[in-house]
């Protein structure tokens, strides 16, 4: 069974697209289709239905107000590591695609998204799957923002479809190797233990070390920096006002 976040994500996506059906629409000649097939939809929402994204060469209505739809779509949940899209050029129409950007904005959490096809090519006339992968790095918990920007051109070279500009998506990554993750620049070693940089310690490198130690009730917040209580000052709060 799927996590509630995954079902919610898919339900909102389905609602935003407003093009969900039990079967893909009848294929028209000389045009372009792109959809999330029933098998992938079952992973997302728990039951089979095709979710149409491009129908007869036109984007789904949600792209006209993508930012609003984006606000309703939660981050892709931990359990989903990739998304499959199916596309097809029908009739004799020729369409060319180019992925302009596959970029993670949080490289400490997730590497750049991946695709299983070349960055530049021709949309096939046979229904084919495009898989977009979300490679969590496994060293840090968090939600990574990422961009996937693709354009589709017709045989004259005119752009007919394009990912909405500044479209940002989100992926939740959860640390499996070191439960709870390693903070403050620590990394998870092969023994599944956080190795901490100088000045930090604790199971998650969450504690800062001050040398010399903070005195008179001072609090060490980062390596070498003590926050002193009223009436005291100095590098380690050793001086009194």
């Amino acid at each position: 069974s799927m996590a509630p976040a995954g079902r919610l994500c898919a339900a909102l996506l389905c609602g935003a697209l407003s093009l969900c059906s039990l079967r893909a629409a009848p294929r028209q000649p000389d045009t372009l289709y792109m959809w999330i097939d029933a098998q992938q939809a079952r992973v997302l929402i728990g039951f089979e239905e095709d979710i149409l994204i491009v129908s007869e060469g036109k984007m789904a209505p949600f792209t006209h107000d993508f930012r609003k739809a984006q606000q309703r779509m939660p981050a892709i949940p931990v359990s989903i590591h990739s998304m499959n899209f199916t596309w097809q050029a029908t009739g004799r129409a020729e369409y060319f695609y180019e992925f302009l950007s596959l970029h993670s904005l949080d490289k400490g959490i997730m590497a750049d998204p991946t695709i299983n096809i070349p960055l530049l090519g021709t949309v096939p006339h046979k229904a084919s799957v495009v898989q977009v992968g979300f490679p969590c790095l496994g060293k840090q918990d968090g939600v990574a923002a990422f961009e996937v920007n693709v354009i589709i051109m017709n045989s004259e070279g005119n752009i007919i479809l394009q990912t909405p500009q500044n479209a940002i998506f989100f992926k939740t990554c959860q640390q499996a190797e070191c439960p709870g993750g390693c903070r403050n620049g620590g990394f998870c070693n092969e023994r599944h233990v956080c190795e901490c940089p100088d000045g930090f310690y604790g199971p998650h490198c969450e504690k800062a070390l001050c040398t010399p130690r903070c005195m008179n009730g001072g609090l060490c917040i980062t390596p070498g920096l003590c926050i002193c209580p009223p009436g005291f000052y100095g590098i380690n709060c050793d001086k009194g006002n």
Side-chain angles (χ1 to χ4, degrees):
S1 63
M2 185 174 178
R7 289 195 297 269
L8 176 60
C9 179
L12 290 173
L13 175 64
C14 187
L17 292 176
S18 302
L19 281 171
C20 298
S21 63
L22 291 176
R23 292 180 176 273
R27 305 287 179 242
Q28 301 295 324
D30 297 331
T31 189
L32 176 69
Y33 290 87
M34 183 175 183
W35 68 97
I36 302 175
D37 62 30
Q39 182 177 0
Q40 177 77 11
R42 186 172 67 247
V43 175
L44 284 170
I45 56 181
F47 56 91
E48 292 191 8
E49 65 177 343
D50 290 330
I51 302 174
L52 301 179
I53 299 170
V54 178
S55 178
E56 297 185 20
K58 295 181 180 180
M59 294 290 290
F62 87 105
T63 59
H64 301 309
D65 192 1
F66 183 79
R67 289 190 179 278
K68 187 174 181 180
Q70 199 172 26
Q71 292 171 358
R72 299 197 303 266
M73 287 188 283
I76 297 169
V78 172
S79 58
I80 296 179
H81 306 291
S82 62
M83 286 279 292
N84 290 341
F85 300 90
T86 307
W87 62 6
Q88 180 179 13
T90 60
R92 296 182 179 180
E94 291 289 340
Y95 294 96
F96 305 91
Y97 69 86
E98 181 177 2
F99 283 87
L100 302 178
S101 173
L102 290 165
H103 180 57
S104 170
L105 303 177
D106 295 286
K107 293 289 179 62
I109 299 174
M110 188 187 92
D112 288 337
T114 61
I115 55 169
N116 65 336
I117 58 174
L119 294 177
L120 177 67
T122 305
V123 179
H125 284 84
K126 180 181 179 182
S128 302
V129 172
V130 178
Q131 185 176 83
V132 181
F134 315 115
C136 290
L137 296 176
K139 302 298 179 187
Q140 184 178 341
D141 286 344
V143 176
F146 66 92
E147 300 172 337
V148 176
N149 190 1
V150 60
I151 60 174
I152 297 179
M153 299 159 282
N154 60 18
S155 56
E156 285 80 39
N158 299 317
I159 296 176
I160 60 168
L161 296 172
Q162 182 170 8
T163 311
Q165 287 191 341
N166 302 320
I168 304 296
F169 306 93
F170 299 93
K171 172 72 175 87
T172 303
C173 291
Q174 187 172 7
Q175 176 54 260
E177 298 173 17
C178 289
C182 304
R183 305 173 195 170
N184 295 311
F187 70 94
C188 188
N189 63 22
E190 64 278 358
R191 295 182 292 112
H192 309 303
V193 174
C194 289
E195 291 192 15
C196 305
D198 291 343
F200 292 97
Y201 70 102
H204 311 292
C205 305
E206 75 279 14
K207 298 177 181 179
L209 177 67
C210 287
T211 304
R213 67 182 179 85
C214 303
M215 300 178 65
N216 299 307
L219 179 65
C220 181
I221 58 167
T222 62
L225 179 60
C226 296
I227 296 296
C228 303
F232 295 94
Y233 70 101
I235 294 177
N236 63 327
C237 307
D238 59 326
K239 297 179 175 63
N241 291 336

